[in-house]
């Protein structure tokens, strides 16, 4: 495997053929477990000729999926390293320790790279031509786009408990028959999305106005605009439309 350099400026990826990425002065430099080098350059660093600085979402359609996944991993490692420079207990500067972690030389507190786990759940009711999906709109979605319900897990909670809590809080309904669909690292900025399918048990949709603009049941032949094809939400929706929700979709883009 050849070593690659993955360069970020803030949350923008430097997009260019590997051979044309110049040597740079980096403010953060990390050797990733898979061997590549992740670099973060200062916001005021000039963008070199032949390089484009592009947000990861915008970079998605322009990269092969494996390269995009690799850039997402680099982004998550850089994000963690940049956010864990000092001890959370006593504010002493942390030092590297085994297992890619960091240790406080003053109080011994140790931290290891981690991410924020979120669940996403696609809720179905009915069968055949009558099948419907519960989809919702968050105010920060693009106009017209609806998606599955998602939310972060809380400390001490299982994935299944998080699904039931989020569905109750955001939609006011209950679900059952949870099925694992797949997972996806989500580098905005440091998430892991764990996706489930579920069936409606009871209750009428009452979207939580603090989180959602709208939520409705949509028939498969009358779906609204859907999220971009980079997210597991969309993969699940595509599987539902194709009638293939019984085949788990694993994220296989894990080797770089
Ligand atoms: Zn400390």
């Amino acid at each position: 495997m050849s070593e690659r350099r993955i360069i970020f400026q803030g949350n923008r990826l430097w997009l260019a053929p590997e051979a044309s990425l110049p040597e740079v002065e980096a403010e953060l430099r990390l050797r990733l477990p898979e061997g590549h080098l992740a670099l973060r350059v200062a916001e005021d660093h000039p963008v070199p000729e032949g390089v484009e600085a592009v947000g990861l979402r915008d970079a998605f359609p322009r990269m092969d999926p494996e390269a995009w996944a690799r850039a997402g991993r680099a982004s998550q490692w850089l994000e963690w390293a940049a956010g864990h420079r000092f001890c959370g207990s006593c504010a002493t500067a942390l030092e590297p320790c085994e297992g890619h972690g960091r240790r406080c030389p003053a109080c011994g507190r140790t931290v290891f790279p981690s991410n924020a786990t979120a669940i996403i759940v696609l809720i179905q009711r009915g069968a055949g031509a009558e099948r419907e999906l519960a989809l919702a709109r968050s105010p920060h979605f693009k106009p017209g786009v609806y998606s599955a319900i998602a939310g972060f897990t809380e400390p001490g909670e299982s994935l299944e408990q998080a699904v039931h809590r989020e569905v109750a809080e955001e939609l006011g309904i209950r679900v059952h028959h949870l099925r694992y669909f797949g997972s996806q690292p989500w580098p905005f900025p440091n998430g892991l999305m764990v996706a489930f399918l579920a069936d409606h048990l009871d209750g009428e949709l009452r979207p939580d106005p603090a989180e959602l603009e709208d939520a409705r049941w949509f028939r498969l032949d009358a779906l609204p605009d859907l999220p971009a094809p980079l997210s597991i939400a969309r993969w699940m929706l595509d599987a539902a439309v194709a009638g293939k929700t019984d085949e788990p979709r694993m994220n296989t883009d894990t080797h770089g």
Side-chain angles (χ1 to χ4, degrees), residues 87-92 94 104 106-109:
C87 176
S89 296
C90 73
T92 304
L94 296 175
C104 175
C107 76
R109 187 183 183 93

Side-chain angles (χ1 to χ4, degrees), residues 42-227:
E43 283 289 359
D44 60 359
H45 193 295
V47 178
E49 200 170 332
V51 172
E52 271 183 276
V54 181
L56 270 180
R57 279 189 175 82
D58 294 331
F60 177 77
R62 301 173 55 179
M63 300 175 74
D64 78 69
E66 207 164 276
W68 189 80
R70 186 164 56 229
R73 283 196 294 282
S75 168
Q76 295 214 32
W77 279 89
L78 288 169
E79 171 72 18
W80 186 84
H84 293 82
R85 295 165 56 212
F86 299 97
C87 176
S89 296
C90 73
T92 304
L94 296 175
E95 295 174 350
C97 72
E98 75 288 347
H100 306 288
R102 290 184 177 177
R103 188 173 179 282
C104 175
C107 76
R109 187 183 183 93
T110 307
V111 287
F112 292 98
S114 60
N115 49 26
T117 306
I119 58 84
I120 182 159
V121 55
L122 182 59
I123 303 161
Q124 311 179 89
R125 73 176 182 187
E130 300 302 313
R131 175 165 284 193
E132 293 180 307
L133 307 176
L135 301 179
R137 254 200 72 71
S138 149
H140 65 258
F141 286 179
K142 287 187 177 151
V145 171
Y146 283 70
S147 188
I149 289 294
F152 288 106
T153 59
E154 293 176 348
E157 195 173 50
S158 71
L159 295 169
E160 294 84 352
Q161 287 167 336
V163 168
H164 291 295
R165 177 182 52 75
E166 285 289 341
V167 169
E169 284 174 6
E170 297 202 11
L171 297 180
I173 62 175
R174 294 196 302 165
V175 295
H176 61 162
H177 302 154
L178 249 57
R179 281 97 72 201
Y180 176 68
F181 179 78
S183 70
Q184 181 187 30
W186 190 241
F188 305 103
N190 66 336
L192 173 65
M193 299 296 292
V194 186
F196 293 89
L197 297 146
D199 294 333
H200 179 234
L201 174 60
D202 56 22
E204 296 295 320
L205 291 179
R206 280 180 286 106
D208 173 9
E211 301 260 352
L212 299 173
E213 272 180 8
D214 191 23
R216 298 184 209 175
W217 291 104
F218 290 95
R219 280 173 56 124
L220 292 179
D221 59 4
L223 290 175
D225 290 345
L226 301 178

